[in-house]
Amino acid sequence: AAFATMNGDKSVNLTFLRCLRLTRAVRFTRSVHLLDAFKEIRACCVAMLMSLKPFCAACMILSLWITIIAVYYTDRALSRRLWLGLDHEDVPSIRAAYGTIYFSSYSLFMAISGGA
């Protein structure tokens, strides 16, 4: 199919070569178009990666503040319980929300994020 006989000798079929050249041109055009799309995707990925550092810093600061306030709330809940002379079983809601630093941190995070 690549060769056609013309007057007994073998010569190249020019129609096939023209189709091949057209196919290469279309492929090249598609690849150039895709490179433009990759530039935009690459720019988006770089922007997301560059914003990751400030995001992590903000998360660290937020967790530090939550921990500091959780320690304060746990201390205040214990002081309140001792001042009233109550035991752990007498105030289960305070113990569940602010009985330990872990529960206080969890309660504060849920309050900040809008959780239940």
Side-chain angles (χ1 to χ4, degrees), residues 7-59:
N7 293 334
D9 57 329
K10 293 185 176 182
S11 64
V12 178
N13 188 352
L14 295 179
T15 307
F16 175 75
L17 288 178
R18 286 181 187 141
C19 289
L20 184 65
R21 189 181 314 149
L22 181 64
T23 305
R24 286 183 183 171
V26 168
R27 245 191 310 171
F28 177 74
T29 306
R30 275 186 51 205
S31 66
V32 169
H33 179 70
L34 286 177
L35 287 177
D36 288 339
F38 282 136
K39 286 179 186 177
E40 293 174 2
I41 292 171
R42 183 175 177 267
C44 288
C45 290
V46 167
M48 285 191 296
L49 288 175
M50 295 303 282
S51 67
L52 192 61
K53 185 177 177 182
F55 175 72
C56 289
C59 287

Side-chain angles (χ1 to χ4, degrees), residues 31-94:
S31 66
V32 169
H33 179 70
L34 286 177
L35 287 177
D36 288 339
F38 282 136
K39 286 179 186 177
E40 293 174 2
I41 292 171
R42 183 175 177 267
C44 288
C45 290
V46 167
M48 285 191 296
L49 288 175
M50 295 303 282
S51 67
L52 192 61
K53 185 177 177 182
F55 175 72
C56 289
C59 287
M60 292 289 288
I61 291 170
L62 183 63
S63 64
L64 178 69
W65 276 106
I66 286 176
T67 304
I68 290 170
I69 295 171
V71 169
Y72 175 74
Y73 278 10
T74 304
D75 180 57
R76 296 305 301 160
L78 179 63
S79 298
R80 177 76 173 173
R81 190 175 53 85
L82 293 175
W83 183 68
L84 292 175
L86 302 172
D87 198 11
H88 270 305
E89 289 76 27
D90 295 335
V91 280
S93 61
I94 292 177

